[in-house]
Amino acid sequence: MSDEEYMSLALHLAKKGVGWTTPNPMVGAVIVKNGRVIGQGWHEKCGQPHAERNALASCTEQMQGAVMYVTLEPCCHYGKQPPCTEAILNAGIKQVMVGSRDPNPLVGGRGIQILREYGVEVVEGVLEDECVRLNEVFFHYIKTKRPFVVMKYAMTLDGKIAAYTGVSKWVTGKQARDHVQEQRHRYTGIMVGVGTILADDPLLTCRKAGCKNPVRIICDTDLRTPLNARVVTTAKQASTILATCCPQREKWTAYQQAGCRILLMERKNGRVDLERLMARLGQEGIDSILLEGGGTLNWAALETGIVRKVQAYIAPKLFGGRTAKTPVEGTGVSSPDGAFHLKNTTITQLGEDILLEGEVTDHVYRNY
């Protein structure tokens, strides 16, 4: 096997930690000796041993002189776990193949430097793009302390998220909807506007067995969420945050008694200031958000510049309807030149539906 094939195996292992490692990165490690894999592991859950130590612990023979493939630079500091550089040196690993450097200021090249200082050969950049993409959330959060926001929606080929009557169940098929549940497990938070709560009364939990629920975040400028809404009545079972500009604390009491948390935010353009909300949620340790809002919130998020990625589930259907809702509403752009562009797009077949994903390019807001 080539270096790239061994690193591909490490990436495959790393993905097993999806949804569980936050706020840590997903990392996989493979140990090879004389052309044979003798150990492998991944970071399984935040607070538990890192991928390198799990791989070393799984080895079936002496590790002296072996090569380790690891998707992210080994850590060199004490946190919830001791430094992996120490374990690698103690094991007698002669060479470490690294996918990408760690952007964490506590590491940031020091792990590689320490290994080299003690005579370990380090090769960087093996499948670097894939390794960086795997931890796009971690890289973004560690650098900005803001959540990585993924705008997700399901639509028909004619761009409708519901029929003209407002009925939206179901735009896409079961396989696509199951994939959405995996995304709810993957990302730390899920955010909608109060309009979605009033129209659909969604639960916003992960319905896949063995997975965790995201933190539910409701943008509710004037605190209009009904007390009998499912996000309120289940707030003691699934964490719920109401971001509001309503200063009347007596209105908060019933929500707080139900288990909701209230975040009092500043108002901007008549609604919750999304930029300040992202800063606040970042302070709360929320590193990623799946935005499942309607057209109004989606446009506001794009306009504010908080959206980093788009996931569009597209069904081979046509709804029609001049008044049928679309994924992004608001003011919109005045000409194609002002469009929000996506890069590094991918297409995945999910039954009869397709998922188009892309990263939002840096976009400076202009008077559209």
Side-chain angles (χ1 to χ4, degrees):
M1 290 175 65
S2 66
D3 291 336
E4 289 74 17
E5 287 172 317
Y6 286 126
M7 190 61 79
S8 290
L9 174 57
L11 281 164
H12 174 75
L13 293 167
K15 292 173 184 176
K16 293 185 177 184
V18 65
W20 297 115
T21 63
T22 300
N24 292 344
M26 292 177 278
V27 184
V30 174
I31 300 173
V32 178
K33 187 173 183 179
N34 299 325
R36 293 175 293 105
V37 174
I38 64 170
Q40 52 187 355
W42 67 95
H43 184 33
E44 298 177 12
K45 197 171 186 178
C46 179
Q48 295 184 5
H50 293 177
E52 298 93 325
R53 288 183 176 270
N54 282 334
L56 292 168
S58 76
C59 279
T60 55
E61 57 184 83
Q62 286 294 319
M63 297 160 278
Q64 193 76 30
V67 178
M68 175 181 284
Y69 294 80
V70 61
T71 56
L72 188 71
E73 175 184 3
C75 66
C76 56
H77 63 286
Y78 281 87
K80 292 183 178 180
Q81 295 291 325
C84 290
T85 49
E86 183 180 280
I88 291 170
L89 293 171
N90 289 340
I93 299 293
K94 72 171 184 179
Q95 185 182 51
V96 177
M97 312 292 282
V98 175
S100 64
R101 286 201 174 199
D102 191 334
N104 188 336
L106 295 174
V107 186
R110 289 182 59 239
I112 290 171
Q113 180 184 345
I114 288 170
L115 292 175
R116 285 175 172 160
E117 287 175 352
Y118 281 87
V120 177
E121 181 184 355
V122 180
V123 177
E124 299 183 59
V126 182
L127 296 186
E128 183 173 13
D129 289 345
E130 291 88 336
C131 291
V132 170
R133 196 172 302 118
L134 172 72
N135 283 306
E136 58 189 1
V137 168
F138 174 73
F139 276 57
H140 176 79
Y141 183 68
I142 204 76
K143 292 175 182 177
T144 68
K145 297 302 179 185
R146 302 288 196 276
F148 184 91
V149 178
V150 179
M151 188 173 77
K152 166 262 166 186
Y153 54 83
M155 71 177 190
T156 60
L157 277 176
D158 56 343
K160 308 298 184 181
I161 61 174
Y164 77 90
T165 59
V167 177
S168 60
K169 293 183 179 178
W170 294 106
V171 172
T172 54
K174 185 178 184 303
Q175 192 170 337
R177 299 199 302 272
D178 287 345
H179 190 271
V180 171
Q181 298 306 311
E182 294 173 5
Q183 303 310 296
R184 290 185 177 186
H185 166 72
R186 176 174 189 164
Y187 298 111
T188 304
I190 184 170
M191 188 166 78
V192 301
V194 67
T196 297
I197 300 298
L198 294 171
D200 302 331
D201 192 21
L203 194 54
L204 302 178
T205 54
C206 180
R207 297 188 293 273
K208 186 173 181 180
C211 293
K212 63 175 179 59
N213 287 323
V215 177
R216 302 178 297 190
I217 304 153
I218 317 302
C219 291
D220 186 356
T221 304
D222 298 308
L223 208 54
R224 295 186 294 135
T225 298
L227 287 171
N228 62 352
R230 294 200 292 173
V231 291
V232 176
T233 59
T234 60
K236 291 181 179 178
Q237 290 77 49
S239 181
T240 303
I241 293 173
L242 297 176
T244 184
C245 302
C246 175
Q248 300 166 338
R249 293 180 180 264
E250 62 272 15
K251 289 186 65 175
W252 299 6
T253 304
Y255 296 103
Q256 292 171 324
Q257 289 176 343
C260 299
R261 292 184 56 210
I262 305 288
L263 294 185
L264 181 60
M265 303 303 304
E266 294 185 17
R267 190 185 297 258
K268 184 177 182 180
N269 298 327
R271 58 176 182 258
V272 170
D273 187 328
L274 292 179
E275 189 172 4
R276 288 182 179 273
L277 176 59
M278 291 304 106
R280 181 73 177 274
L281 293 174
Q283 293 171 0
E284 299 274 335
I286 295 176
D287 65 350
S288 55
I289 292 173
L290 187 64
L291 177 61
E292 291 198 14
T296 300
L297 181 58
N298 284 347
W299 169 253
L302 283 169
E303 184 183 35
T304 305
I306 65 171
V307 179
R308 307 312 307 161
K309 188 174 184 178
V310 173
Q311 291 182 331
Y313 296 82
I314 305 171
K317 301 174 182 178
L318 302 170
F319 280 1
R322 184 175 61 254
T323 61
K325 291 185 176 296
T326 60
V328 182
E329 297 175 354
T331 305
V333 301
S334 60
S335 73
D337 291 340
F340 292 84
H341 289 267
L342 303 183
K343 62 181 180 180
N344 298 327
T345 54
T346 61
I347 295 177
T348 305
Q349 191 78 38
L350 297 169
E352 292 187 347
D353 308 312
I354 64 169
L355 167 62
L356 190 151
E357 297 179 272
E359 303 164 24
V360 179
T361 59
D362 291 335
H363 190 95
V364 179
Y365 178 73
R366 299 185 292 276
N367 291 321
Y368 299 125

